[in-house]
Amino acid sequence: MNYDISKEPIVIQEVIDKVVNRNAGAVTTFIGTVREMTKGKKTLFLIYEAYKPMAIKKLEQIGSEIKERWPDAETAITHRVGKLEITDIAVVIAVSTPHRNDAYEANRYAIERIKEIVPIWKKEHWEDGETWVGNQLETVPYPKGKPEEVDIDD
Amino acid sequence: MNYDISKEPIVIQEVIDKVVNRNAGAVTTFIGTVREMTKGKKTLFLIYEAYKPMAIKKLEQIGSEIKERWPDAETAITHRVGKLEITDIAVVIAVSTPHRNDAYEANRYAIERIKEIVPIWKKEHWEDGETWVGNQLETVPYPKGKPEEVDIDD
Amino acid sequence: MINVLLFAQLKDELGKETLSIEGNGMSVAQLKGKMKIEFQLEGLETVMTAVNEEFADDETILSDGDTVAFIPPVSGG
Amino acid sequence: MINVLLFAQLKDELGKETLSIEGNGMSVAQLKGKMKIEFQLEGLETVMTAVNEEFADDETILSDGDTVAFIPPVSGG
């Protein structure tokens, strides 16, 4: 299956293999890794938590949205959960398309959407404490209790 | 070394490993694969040929250009030469940066520059013949005998 | 009964990740209000809600057996 | 002598990939002209030239021992 939430380390090649095909001329991957320094603060490790069944549904939805916009694209996404050390891989997004521009655009679309609608949370453990990371997009909260249509559809 | 021309199949993970580091939060890869159909024409296989020492120099130059524009980026590029079958990998570009936007932008910059200045040529073998593929960017030829400054620097 | 799922800071705040609560016929907004009072749970105003694994409005009416998940701002990727 | 390298269609056209040619003191443009006459090599007007592995102008003056590569439009990637 092309969309997965995994407790095990992600093998990049396995995600790529899901999208390579005879009509693909370009495959882009996005690999999110755990960075040590953020704005001068040192991260020791991270914990990722997911609402797994819904997270998989939302990853599938992102795949459908990509298919609507880029009909020739094939997409695969695996997100890790659990404890991650510095340089560990949190997410791998692979997108194949016949031509390269679409592979970049569709891949970027996927990561932005993940940060909007996929129920996965990151707890940063710093040297001096820990915190659940809020909305990284720094958009306003959700006064209606769910993402606005504009968030979902564009 | 981060820039290579290889007769052997490219191992994607090996290229990625060259750019992963503790300050990277994002790694993008571009993987160019051999597509079967182009404008309704069926490719049987490709031959890639390179002017190897200069090609490596030009890949290094692209790395330097990326470093100027995105000082925190690490780049690695391997291009294959020889006979490639459908779905085989022709090129892998890996770029790591602290934040994701730069990783996409710098990666895309790299592939565009490869298509401008790196002396590598592709011979397409179709069902009904063969041909060296010309300038894929469909820009004008080079009346001055080398790329215009605007090509090299932007 | 409504099955409620809590994640991230909400889970830490309440000290548990699931609970059952009477809520047949209530709206999501009413359930939030009830939880705020019963558990002194802060910050429910700014979270998203999913009913049976799909995002839902505050006006959505709940039925026995529904699973309601409160979804703080996500931070995957 | 100048070492000349040919690639892709130029190599196919000439049937070889390297050759040596008298050209000390010539410009790249003059060398191109000489090759066109001696080898009936077509299409040299639209190729790039590298001298000692760096792109060079048609005006670049060549010296014995230089390596000149004629570089048809590239198609890597």
Side-chain angles (χ1 to χ4, degrees):
Chain A
M1 76 190 162
N2 278 27
Y3 305 94
D4 201 14
I5 302 291
S6 170
K7 288 182 184 171
E8 304 303 320
I10 303 172
V11 179
I12 298 167
Q13 185 65 51
E14 289 179 2
V15 184
I16 292 170
D17 288 342
K18 294 175 184 174
V19 304
V20 170
N21 67 77
R22 299 177 73 83
N23 290 317
V27 180
T28 52
T29 70
F30 176 85
I31 302 155
T33 54
V34 179
R35 189 179 57 232
E36 185 163 40
M37 302 302 293
T38 297
K39 294 177 184 169
K41 251 182 130 175
K42 188 173 180 176
T43 297
L44 300 180
F45 63 92
L46 299 182
I47 306 282
Y48 276 99
E49 172 180 305
Y51 179 16
K52 186 170 173 177
M54 184 173 169
I56 290 175
K57 277 190 189 177
K58 291 291 132 184
L59 292 177
E60 289 169 346
Q61 176 186 325
I62 293 169
S64 302
E65 292 174 0
I66 287 174
K67 203 77 185 169
E68 265 178 48
R69 286 164 176 75
W70 297 276
D72 294 325
E74 300 295 333
T75 305
I77 306 173
T78 301
H79 202 297
R80 180 91 182 274
V81 289
K83 181 177 178 181
L84 276 76
E85 310 284 347
I86 307 302
T87 78
D88 280 355
I89 297 171
V91 64
V92 175
I93 303 166
V95 177
S96 71
T97 59
H99 299 283
R100 67 184 182 282
N101 282 351
D102 291 343
Y104 284 108
E105 293 300 323
N107 197 300
R108 201 162 184 164
Y109 180 86
I111 185 66
E112 299 303 329
R113 292 296 278 153
I114 287 173
K115 289 173 182 292
E116 286 171 354
I117 65 165
V118 181
I120 298 175
W121 301 271
K122 174 167 75 174
K123 192 176 200 172
E124 293 251 16
H125 290 254
W126 315 96
E127 283 178 309
D128 59 350
E130 56 187 52
T131 182
W132 288 101
V133 174
N135 189 335
Q136 296 171 300
L137 294 173
E138 294 177 13
T139 53
V140 292
Y142 303 93
K144 295 180 65 183
K146 66 173 190 177
E148 305 285 337
E149 287 305 309
V150 63
D151 283 342
I152 289 181
D153 294 331
D154 211 338
Chain B
M1 74 191 161
N2 278 27
Y3 305 94
D4 201 13
I5 302 291
S6 169
K7 289 181 184 173
E8 305 302 321
I10 303 171
V11 180
I12 298 167
Q13 185 66 50
E14 289 179 3
V15 184
I16 292 171
D17 288 343
K18 295 174 184 174
V19 304
V20 169
N21 66 78
R22 300 177 73 83
N23 289 318
V27 180
T28 51
T29 69
F30 175 85
I31 301 156
T33 55
V34 179
R35 188 179 58 234
E36 185 162 41
M37 301 302 293
T38 298
K39 295 177 184 167
K41 250 181 131 175
K42 188 172 180 177
T43 297
L44 300 179
F45 62 93
L46 300 181
I47 307 281
Y48 276 98
E49 171 179 306
Y51 179 15
K52 185 170 173 177
M54 184 172 167
I56 290 175
K57 277 191 188 177
K58 291 290 130 185
L59 292 176
E60 289 169 347
Q61 177 185 327
I62 293 170
S64 302
E65 291 174 2
I66 288 174
K67 204 76 184 167
E68 266 178 49
R69 288 164 175 72
W70 297 276
D72 294 325
E74 300 294 333
T75 304
I77 306 173
T78 300
H79 202 297
R80 179 90 182 275
V81 289
K83 182 177 178 181
L84 275 75
E85 311 284 347
I86 307 302
T87 77
D88 280 356
I89 296 171
V91 64
V92 175
I93 303 166
V95 177
S96 70
T97 60
H99 300 283
R100 68 185 182 281
N101 282 350
D102 292 343
Y104 284 108
E105 293 299 323
N107 197 299
R108 201 162 185 166
Y109 180 86
I111 185 66
E112 299 302 327
R113 291 296 277 155
I114 287 172
K115 289 173 181 293
E116 286 171 355
I117 65 164
V118 181
I120 297 176
W121 300 271
K122 174 167 74 172
K123 192 175 201 172
E124 293 252 17
H125 290 255
W126 314 95
E127 283 178 308
D128 59 351
E130 56 186 53
T131 182
W132 288 100
V133 174
N135 189 334
Q136 296 171 299
L137 294 173
E138 294 177 12
T139 53
V140 292
Y142 302 93
K144 294 178 66 182
K146 66 172 190 177
E148 305 284 337
E149 287 305 307
V150 63
D151 283 343
I152 289 181
D153 294 332
D154 212 340
Chain C
M1 302 288 278
I2 309 295
N3 309 304
V4 175
L5 306 182
L6 298 152
F7 296 96
Q9 55 268 49
L10 292 175
K11 181 183 69 176
D12 287 357
E13 195 182 335
L14 199 72
K16 55 168 82 174
E17 50 191 324
T18 62
L19 53 86
S20 282
I21 189 166
E22 287 285 354
N24 190 37
M26 281 186 177
S27 70
V28 165
Q30 287 173 316
L31 184 76
K32 282 184 179 177
K34 181 171 178 177
M35 289 192 61
K36 189 174 176 181
I37 293 167
E38 284 197 19
F39 302 103
Q40 285 83 45
L41 200 55
E42 295 298 323
L44 278 181
E45 294 81 4
T46 59
V47 304
M48 296 189 276
T49 307
V51 177
N52 302 329
E53 301 175 5
E54 280 299 335
F55 288 113
D57 282 318
D58 272 0
E59 292 73 38
T60 303
I61 300 300
L62 302 170
S63 308
D64 276 342
D66 280 349
T67 296
V68 174
F70 293 114
I71 300 190
V74 303
S75 51
Chain D
M1 301 291 278
I2 309 296
N3 310 303
V4 175
L5 307 181
L6 298 153
F7 296 97
Q9 55 269 48
L10 291 175
K11 181 184 69 176
D12 287 357
E13 196 182 334
L14 200 71
K16 54 167 82 176
E17 50 191 323
T18 62
L19 53 87
S20 281
I21 189 168
E22 287 286 352
N24 190 39
M26 281 187 176
S27 70
V28 165
Q30 287 173 315
L31 184 76
K32 282 183 179 177
K34 182 172 179 178
M35 289 192 62
K36 190 173 177 181
I37 293 167
E38 284 196 20
F39 303 104
Q40 286 82 45
L41 201 54
E42 295 299 322
L44 279 180
E45 294 81 4
T46 59
V47 303
M48 296 189 277
T49 306
V51 176
N52 302 327
E53 300 175 8
E54 280 299 337
F55 287 112
D57 281 319
D58 272 0
E59 293 73 37
T60 303
I61 301 300
L62 303 170
S63 307
D64 275 344
D66 279 349
T67 296
V68 174
F70 293 115
I71 299 188
V74 303
S75 51

mmCIF file with all atom_site columns, all heavy atoms in Angstrom, chain A residues 128-145:
data_model
loop_
_atom_site.group_PDB
_atom_site.id
_atom_site.type_symbol
_atom_site.label_atom_id
_atom_site.label_alt_id
_atom_site.label_comp_id
_atom_site.label_asym_id
_atom_site.label_entity_id
_atom_site.label_seq_id
_atom_site.pdbx_PDB_ins_code
_atom_site.Cartn_x
_atom_site.Cartn_y
_atom_site.Cartn_z
_atom_site.occupancy
_atom_site.B_iso_or_equiv
_atom_site.pdbx_formal_charge
_atom_site.auth_seq_id
_atom_site.auth_comp_id
_atom_site.auth_asym_id
_atom_site.auth_atom_id
_atom_site.pdbx_PDB_model_num
ATOM 1   N N   . ASP A 1 128 ? 16.359  21.570 27.697 1.00 0.00 ? 128 ASP A N   1
ATOM 2   C CA  . ASP A 1 128 ? 15.765  22.165 28.908 1.00 0.00 ? 128 ASP A CA  1
ATOM 3   C C   . ASP A 1 128 ? 14.251  21.961 28.975 1.00 0.00 ? 128 ASP A C   1
ATOM 4   O O   . ASP A 1 128 ? 13.534  22.772 29.541 1.00 0.00 ? 128 ASP A O   1
ATOM 5   C CB  . ASP A 1 128 ? 16.091  23.656 28.967 1.00 0.00 ? 128 ASP A CB  1
ATOM 6   C CG  . ASP A 1 128 ? 15.570  24.388 27.733 1.00 0.00 ? 128 ASP A CG  1
ATOM 7   O OD1 . ASP A 1 128 ? 15.137  23.717 26.779 1.00 0.00 ? 128 ASP A OD1 1
ATOM 8   O OD2 . ASP A 1 128 ? 15.589  25.632 27.732 1.00 0.00 ? 128 ASP A OD2 1
ATOM 9   N N   . GLY A 1 129 ? 13.753  20.882 28.375 1.00 0.00 ? 129 GLY A N   1
ATOM 10  C CA  . GLY A 1 129 ? 12.318  20.641 28.499 1.00 0.00 ? 129 GLY A CA  1
ATOM 11  C C   . GLY A 1 129 ? 11.755  19.956 27.281 1.00 0.00 ? 129 GLY A C   1
ATOM 12  O O   . GLY A 1 129 ? 12.501  19.470 26.430 1.00 0.00 ? 129 GLY A O   1
ATOM 13  N N   . GLU A 1 130 ? 10.429  19.908 27.239 1.00 0.00 ? 130 GLU A N   1
ATOM 14  C CA  . GLU A 1 130 ? 9.795   19.250 26.105 1.00 0.00 ? 130 GLU A CA  1
ATOM 15  C C   . GLU A 1 130 ? 8.514   19.979 25.774 1.00 0.00 ? 130 GLU A C   1
ATOM 16  O O   . GLU A 1 130 ? 7.915   20.625 26.636 1.00 0.00 ? 130 GLU A O   1
ATOM 17  C CB  . GLU A 1 130 ? 9.494   17.788 26.436 1.00 0.00 ? 130 GLU A CB  1
ATOM 18  C CG  . GLU A 1 130 ? 8.630   17.623 27.679 1.00 0.00 ? 130 GLU A CG  1
ATOM 19  C CD  . GLU A 1 130 ? 8.471   16.178 28.101 1.00 0.00 ? 130 GLU A CD  1
ATOM 20  O OE1 . GLU A 1 130 ? 9.512   15.494 28.250 1.00 0.00 ? 130 GLU A OE1 1
ATOM 21  O OE2 . GLU A 1 130 ? 7.334   15.726 28.274 1.00 0.00 ? 130 GLU A OE2 1
ATOM 22  N N   . THR A 1 131 ? 8.084   19.890 24.493 1.00 0.00 ? 131 THR A N   1
ATOM 23  C CA  . THR A 1 131 ? 6.836   20.535 24.133 1.00 0.00 ? 131 THR A CA  1
ATOM 24  C C   . THR A 1 131 ? 6.267   19.916 22.868 1.00 0.00 ? 131 THR A C   1
ATOM 25  O O   . THR A 1 131 ? 7.014   19.497 21.978 1.00 0.00 ? 131 THR A O   1
ATOM 26  C CB  . THR A 1 131 ? 7.038   22.051 23.904 1.00 0.00 ? 131 THR A CB  1
ATOM 27  O OG1 . THR A 1 131 ? 5.775   22.630 23.598 1.00 0.00 ? 131 THR A OG1 1
ATOM 28  C CG2 . THR A 1 131 ? 7.984   22.319 22.746 1.00 0.00 ? 131 THR A CG2 1
ATOM 29  N N   . TRP A 1 132 ? 4.950   19.806 22.835 1.00 0.00 ? 132 TRP A N   1
ATOM 30  C CA  . TRP A 1 132 ? 4.280   19.437 21.591 1.00 0.00 ? 132 TRP A CA  1
ATOM 31  C C   . TRP A 1 132 ? 4.354   20.622 20.656 1.00 0.00 ? 132 TRP A C   1
ATOM 32  O O   . TRP A 1 132 ? 3.994   21.745 21.039 1.00 0.00 ? 132 TRP A O   1
ATOM 33  C CB  . TRP A 1 132 ? 2.820   19.063 21.849 1.00 0.00 ? 132 TRP A CB  1
ATOM 34  C CG  . TRP A 1 132 ? 2.699   17.741 22.544 1.00 0.00 ? 132 TRP A CG  1
ATOM 35  C CD1 . TRP A 1 132 ? 2.468   17.537 23.872 1.00 0.00 ? 132 TRP A CD1 1
ATOM 36  C CD2 . TRP A 1 132 ? 2.829   16.441 21.953 1.00 0.00 ? 132 TRP A CD2 1
ATOM 37  N NE1 . TRP A 1 132 ? 2.465   16.187 24.155 1.00 0.00 ? 132 TRP A NE1 1
ATOM 38  C CE2 . TRP A 1 132 ? 2.677   15.494 22.989 1.00 0.00 ? 132 TRP A CE2 1
ATOM 39  C CE3 . TRP A 1 132 ? 3.072   15.974 20.655 1.00 0.00 ? 132 TRP A CE3 1
ATOM 40  C CZ2 . TRP A 1 132 ? 2.746   14.112 22.764 1.00 0.00 ? 132 TRP A CZ2 1
ATOM 41  C CZ3 . TRP A 1 132 ? 3.140   14.614 20.438 1.00 0.00 ? 132 TRP A CZ3 1
ATOM 42  C CH2 . TRP A 1 132 ? 2.977   13.694 21.485 1.00 0.00 ? 132 TRP A CH2 1
ATOM 43  N N   . VAL A 1 133 ? 4.825   20.373 19.448 1.00 0.00 ? 133 VAL A N   1
ATOM 44  C CA  . VAL A 1 133 ? 4.969   21.457 18.493 1.00 0.00 ? 133 VAL A CA  1
ATOM 45  C C   . VAL A 1 133 ? 3.598   21.800 17.929 1.00 0.00 ? 133 VAL A C   1
ATOM 46  O O   . VAL A 1 133 ? 2.859   20.913 17.518 1.00 0.00 ? 133 VAL A O   1
ATOM 47  C CB  . VAL A 1 133 ? 5.921   21.052 17.358 1.00 0.00 ? 133 VAL A CB  1
ATOM 48  C CG1 . VAL A 1 133 ? 5.958   22.137 16.289 1.00 0.00 ? 133 VAL A CG1 1
ATOM 49  C CG2 . VAL A 1 133 ? 7.307   20.795 17.914 1.00 0.00 ? 133 VAL A CG2 1
ATOM 50  N N   . GLY A 1 134 ? 3.293   23.111 17.952 1.00 0.00 ? 134 GLY A N   1
ATOM 51  C CA  . GLY A 1 134 ? 1.981   23.527 17.461 1.00 0.00 ? 134 GLY A CA  1
ATOM 52  C C   . GLY A 1 134 ? 1.959   23.582 15.959 1.00 0.00 ? 134 GLY A C   1
ATOM 53  O O   . GLY A 1 134 ? 2.798   22.988 15.285 1.00 0.00 ? 134 GLY A O   1
ATOM 54  N N   . ASN A 1 135 ? 1.017   24.330 15.456 1.00 0.00 ? 135 ASN A N   1
ATOM 55  C CA  . ASN A 1 135 ? 0.819   24.454 14.032 1.00 0.00 ? 135 ASN A CA  1
ATOM 56  C C   . ASN A 1 135 ? 2.027   25.116 13.388 1.00 0.00 ? 135 ASN A C   1
ATOM 57  O O   . ASN A 1 135 ? 2.248   26.309 13.514 1.00 0.00 ? 135 ASN A O   1
ATOM 58  C CB  . ASN A 1 135 ? -0.435  25.295 13.799 1.00 0.00 ? 135 ASN A CB  1
ATOM 59  C CG  . ASN A 1 135 ? -0.834  25.292 12.363 1.00 0.00 ? 135 ASN A CG  1
ATOM 60  O OD1 . ASN A 1 135 ? -0.001  25.089 11.479 1.00 0.00 ? 135 ASN A OD1 1
ATOM 61  N ND2 . ASN A 1 135 ? -2.104  25.507 12.127 1.00 0.00 ? 135 ASN A ND2 1
ATOM 62  N N   . GLN A 1 136 ? 2.806   24.329 12.642 1.00 0.00 ? 136 GLN A N   1
ATOM 63  C CA  . GLN A 1 136 ? 4.025   24.865 12.050 1.00 0.00 ? 136 GLN A CA  1
ATOM 64  C C   . GLN A 1 136 ? 3.744   25.862 10.944 1.00 0.00 ? 136 GLN A C   1
ATOM 65  O O   . GLN A 1 136 ? 4.604   26.624 10.551 1.00 0.00 ? 136 GLN A O   1
ATOM 66  C CB  . GLN A 1 136 ? 4.857   23.719 11.474 1.00 0.00 ? 136 GLN A CB  1
ATOM 67  C CG  . GLN A 1 136 ? 5.338   22.760 12.543 1.00 0.00 ? 136 GLN A CG  1
ATOM 68  C CD  . GLN A 1 136 ? 5.950   21.543 11.915 1.00 0.00 ? 136 GLN A CD  1
ATOM 69  O OE1 . GLN A 1 136 ? 5.294   20.823 11.177 1.00 0.00 ? 136 GLN A OE1 1
ATOM 70  N NE2 . GLN A 1 136 ? 7.212   21.309 12.190 1.00 0.00 ? 136 GLN A NE2 1
ATOM 71  N N   . LEU A 1 137 ? 2.551   25.786 10.410 1.00 0.00 ? 137 LEU A N   1
ATOM 72  C CA  . LEU A 1 137 ? 2.206   26.708 9.329  1.00 0.00 ? 137 LEU A CA  1
ATOM 73  C C   . LEU A 1 137 ? 1.893   28.088 9.881  1.00 0.00 ? 137 LEU A C   1
ATOM 74  O O   . LEU A 1 137 ? 1.784   29.044 9.146  1.00 0.00 ? 137 LEU A O   1
ATOM 75  C CB  . LEU A 1 137 ? 1.006   26.177 8.545  1.00 0.00 ? 137 LEU A CB  1
ATOM 76  C CG  . LEU A 1 137 ? 1.296   24.894 7.783  1.00 0.00 ? 137 LEU A CG  1
ATOM 77  C CD1 . LEU A 1 137 ? 0.025   24.337 7.170  1.00 0.00 ? 137 LEU A CD1 1
ATOM 78  C CD2 . LEU A 1 137 ? 2.344   25.132 6.700  1.00 0.00 ? 137 LEU A CD2 1
ATOM 79  N N   . GLU A 1 138 ? 1.749   28.167 11.196 1.00 0.00 ? 138 GLU A N   1
ATOM 80  C CA  . GLU A 1 138 ? 1.442   29.431 11.859 1.00 0.00 ? 138 GLU A CA  1
ATOM 81  C C   . GLU A 1 138 ? 0.216   30.112 11.271 1.00 0.00 ? 138 GLU A C   1
ATOM 82  O O   . GLU A 1 138 ? 0.138   31.330 11.169 1.00 0.00 ? 138 GLU A O   1
ATOM 83  C CB  . GLU A 1 138 ? 2.666   30.362 11.827 1.00 0.00 ? 138 GLU A CB  1
ATOM 84  C CG  . GLU A 1 138 ? 3.793   29.785 12.672 1.00 0.00 ? 138 GLU A CG  1
ATOM 85  C CD  . GLU A 1 138 ? 5.057   30.608 12.618 1.00 0.00 ? 138 GLU A CD  1
ATOM 86  O OE1 . GLU A 1 138 ? 4.995   31.746 12.129 1.00 0.00 ? 138 GLU A OE1 1
ATOM 87  O OE2 . GLU A 1 138 ? 6.094   30.107 13.072 1.00 0.00 ? 138 GLU A OE2 1
ATOM 88  N N   . THR A 1 139 ? -0.700  29.302 10.822 1.00 0.00 ? 139 THR A N   1
ATOM 89  C CA  . THR A 1 139 ? -1.990  29.859 10.437 1.00 0.00 ? 139 THR A CA  1
ATOM 90  C C   . THR A 1 139 ? -2.805  30.002 11.710 1.00 0.00 ? 139 THR A C   1
ATOM 91  O O   . THR A 1 139 ? -2.407  29.549 12.775 1.00 0.00 ? 139 THR A O   1
ATOM 92  C CB  . THR A 1 139 ? -2.730  28.931 9.467  1.00 0.00 ? 139 THR A CB  1
ATOM 93  O OG1 . THR A 1 139 ? -2.790  27.632 10.043 1.00 0.00 ? 139 THR A OG1 1
ATOM 94  C CG2 . THR A 1 139 ? -2.002  28.854 8.141  1.00 0.00 ? 139 THR A CG2 1
ATOM 95  N N   . VAL A 1 140 ? -3.958  30.633 11.592 1.00 0.00 ? 140 VAL A N   1
ATOM 96  C CA  . VAL A 1 140 ? -4.814  30.785 12.758 1.00 0.00 ? 140 VAL A CA  1
ATOM 97  C C   . VAL A 1 140 ? -5.362  29.417 13.166 1.00 0.00 ? 140 VAL A C   1
ATOM 98  O O   . VAL A 1 140 ? -5.374  28.487 12.378 1.00 0.00 ? 140 VAL A O   1
ATOM 99  C CB  . VAL A 1 140 ? -5.992  31.729 12.444 1.00 0.00 ? 140 VAL A CB  1
ATOM 100 C CG1 . VAL A 1 140 ? -5.474  33.134 12.232 1.00 0.00 ? 140 VAL A CG1 1
ATOM 101 C CG2 . VAL A 1 140 ? -6.765  31.237 11.233 1.00 0.00 ? 140 VAL A CG2 1
ATOM 102 N N   . PRO A 1 141 ? -5.810  29.309 14.378 1.00 0.00 ? 141 PRO A N   1
ATOM 103 C CA  . PRO A 1 141 ? -6.479  28.069 14.788 1.00 0.00 ? 141 PRO A CA  1
ATOM 104 C C   . PRO A 1 141 ? -7.746  27.848 13.960 1.00 0.00 ? 141 PRO A C   1
ATOM 105 O O   . PRO A 1 141 ? -8.025  28.596 13.025 1.00 0.00 ? 141 PRO A O   1
ATOM 106 C CB  . PRO A 1 141 ? -6.830  28.323 16.256 1.00 0.00 ? 141 PRO A CB  1
ATOM 107 C CG  . PRO A 1 141 ? -5.956  29.439 16.691 1.00 0.00 ? 141 PRO A CG  1
ATOM 108 C CD  . PRO A 1 141 ? -5.740  30.283 15.469 1.00 0.00 ? 141 PRO A CD  1
ATOM 109 N N   . TYR A 1 142 ? -8.470  26.863 14.304 1.00 0.00 ? 142 TYR A N   1
ATOM 110 C CA  . TYR A 1 142 ? -9.618  26.460 13.493 1.00 0.00 ? 142 TYR A CA  1
ATOM 111 C C   . TYR A 1 142 ? -10.908 26.809 14.214 1.00 0.00 ? 142 TYR A C   1
ATOM 112 O O   . TYR A 1 142 ? -11.450 25.997 14.949 1.00 0.00 ? 142 TYR A O   1
ATOM 113 C CB  . TYR A 1 142 ? -9.553  24.966 13.221 1.00 0.00 ? 142 TYR A CB  1
ATOM 114 C CG  . TYR A 1 142 ? -8.269  24.597 12.554 1.00 0.00 ? 142 TYR A CG  1
ATOM 115 C CD1 . TYR A 1 142 ? -7.170  24.196 13.297 1.00 0.00 ? 142 TYR A CD1 1
ATOM 116 C CD2 . TYR A 1 142 ? -8.142  24.682 11.170 1.00 0.00 ? 142 TYR A CD2 1
ATOM 117 C CE1 . TYR A 1 142 ? -5.987  23.880 12.679 1.00 0.00 ? 142 TYR A CE1 1
ATOM 118 C CE2 . TYR A 1 142 ? -6.960  24.375 10.545 1.00 0.00 ? 142 TYR A CE2 1
ATOM 119 C CZ  . TYR A 1 142 ? -5.879  23.966 11.310 1.00 0.00 ? 142 TYR A CZ  1
ATOM 120 O OH  . TYR A 1 142 ? -4.694  23.663 10.706 1.00 0.00 ? 142 TYR A OH  1
ATOM 121 N N   . PRO A 1 143 ? -11.410 28.029 13.995 1.00 0.00 ? 143 PRO A N   1
ATOM 122 C CA  . PRO A 1 143 ? -12.586 28.465 14.756 1.00 0.00 ? 143 PRO A CA  1
ATOM 123 C C   . PRO A 1 143 ? -13.810 27.596 14.495 1.00 0.00 ? 143 PRO A C   1
ATOM 124 O O   . PRO A 1 143 ? -14.669 27.474 15.353 1.00 0.00 ? 143 PRO A O   1
ATOM 125 C CB  . PRO A 1 143 ? -12.812 29.907 14.288 1.00 0.00 ? 143 PRO A CB  1
ATOM 126 C CG  . PRO A 1 143 ? -12.080 30.014 12.991 1.00 0.00 ? 143 PRO A CG  1
ATOM 127 C CD  . PRO A 1 143 ? -10.946 29.045 13.058 1.00 0.00 ? 143 PRO A CD  1
ATOM 128 N N   . LYS A 1 144 ? -13.877 26.975 13.337 1.00 0.00 ? 144 LYS A N   1
ATOM 129 C CA  . LYS A 1 144 ? -15.051 26.151 13.040 1.00 0.00 ? 144 LYS A CA  1
ATOM 130 C C   . LYS A 1 144 ? -14.848 24.697 13.447 1.00 0.00 ? 144 LYS A C   1
ATOM 131 O O   . LYS A 1 144 ? -15.710 23.857 13.220 1.00 0.00 ? 144 LYS A O   1
ATOM 132 C CB  . LYS A 1 144 ? -15.382 26.218 11.547 1.00 0.00 ? 144 LYS A CB  1
ATOM 133 C CG  . LYS A 1 144 ? -15.814 27.603 11.104 1.00 0.00 ? 144 LYS A CG  1
ATOM 134 C CD  . LYS A 1 144 ? -16.122 27.639 9.626  1.00 0.00 ? 144 LYS A CD  1
ATOM 135 C CE  . LYS A 1 144 ? -17.323 26.779 9.272  1.00 0.00 ? 144 LYS A CE  1
ATOM 136 N NZ  . LYS A 1 144 ? -17.554 26.787 7.809  1.00 0.00 ? 144 LYS A NZ  1
ATOM 137 N N   . GLY A 1 145 ? -13.688 24.385 13.994 1.00 0.00 ? 145 GLY A N   1
ATOM 138 C CA  . GLY A 1 145 ? -13.472 23.033 14.488 1.00 0.00 ? 145 GLY A CA  1
ATOM 139 C C   . GLY A 1 145 ? -12.892 22.094 13.464 1.00 0.00 ? 145 GLY A C   1
ATOM 140 O O   . GLY A 1 145 ? -12.572 20.966 13.751 1.00 0.00 ? 145 GLY A O   1
#
